[in-house]
Amino acid sequence: MAIRELSAVLRENAALSRAEAPIYEQNHFEIFHPWEQRRLIRDLSRYAGRRSLDVAAGTGNVVTKLRGGLRVALDLSPEMLAVLRRADPGVHAVVGLAEALPFRDGAFDLTVMYSAVHHLADLAPFAEMARVTRPGGVVLLDHEEAFQEAGPKRVPYAVARRMLRAIAGTWYWRRPAAAAHGAYRRTYWPHSGGLTVDFVLTDGGHPDPDTVERELRRHGLRVTRRHYLLEPLPMVSVWQRLADGACRRWRLGHFAIEATR
C-alpha cells in the first residue's frame, strides 16, 4: 500500500533519530507542553499494572508514565532508547522494528503507539500490534494528526491550526526552558534537511483515521475513536473544553484510537 520502499523509510527514520535523540524533548513543545503531559498521564492511568509494550517508543514519553506491571519499549533507534534507559532503568528497552515485532502472540495486555503513525512505511505495524496483544487486551494509538481534513473545511482548519500553534509557541518561547529549544534549532536542522519520513499512501496523502480503523478491524479488533484539541494551548480550562468539543464534533485536530481484541 505504500509507494516508498520500507528500507528507504527505515534509513531515513534512523538518521533522523540519531540527529534528534539528544534534544528530542526540547524540540517538541506540542508533546512536552505541560497540558499535553497531564492529559497523557490521566489517560494512561487507566492501564496501570498491565503487561505493556510501547511501539516506536522514542525517548519514552509513554512507557515512563505507565505504572506497575511489565513495561517494554521498542524503537529502531538505539540513540533514542539510550535516553530512555537513563530516564527510567526499570523499562525493558528493545531495538527492533514495528513492522516485525520480536514478541510472541498475545504477549501483552496493552500495546501502544504515540505520535508515530506518520513515520511508518506501511500498514504492517498495525497487524503486528494486534498479533502481540492478548484477547481482551487493548491496542492504543494516540496523538496522531487527522490528515483527512478536506473539502470546505480544509482552509479554515489550516488557518485555525496555524493560529493556535502560534499562540502555544509564543507562550512556550517565554519560558526559560525555551533556550535549549533555540540552541537545538540552530544545530539540528542542517542535519535533518532533505529527510522525508512521512508515510504516503498510493493515492497520496497520509494515513487518515479511517484507514487505520479499517486495518485494525481487519485483524479482528473492535475500534473506538475520539478527536481532541488541535494543539496544547495555554488557555483556561473552559477554552480547552470548547476546543475539545469542536474537535470531537468536526473530527479535527488529533485523534486517539482504542481497539480491543
Side-chain angles (χ1 to χ4, degrees), residues 183-237:
Y184 166 80
R185 284 295 186 185
R186 289 192 296 274
T187 60
Y188 168 69
W189 286 114
H191 298 289
S192 65
L195 290 177
T196 304
V197 294
D198 285 354
F199 170 24
V200 181
L201 300 179
T202 51
D203 56 354
H206 293 78
D208 63 78
D210 292 337
T211 298
V212 176
E213 282 193 9
R214 284 195 299 270
E215 183 66 9
L216 291 171
R217 289 195 178 99
R218 193 168 74 85
H219 294 283
L221 280 74
R222 299 182 300 277
V223 177
T224 60
R225 178 172 110 209
R226 65 182 176 86
H227 288 253
Y228 59 89
L229 191 63
L230 290 81
E231 295 290 345
L233 301 176
M235 292 180 174
V236 294
S237 59

Side-chain angles (χ1 to χ4, degrees), residues 86-125:
R86 290 193 293 270
D88 191 338
V91 175
H92 299 272
V94 178
V95 177
L97 301 180
E99 293 79 8
L101 296 176
F103 309 107
R104 62 175 173 80
D105 295 359
F108 298 97
D109 305 310
L110 171 70
T111 307
V112 58
M113 179 181 287
Y114 178 94
S115 193
V117 166
H118 57 289
H119 288 288
L120 303 179
D122 55 33
L123 299 176

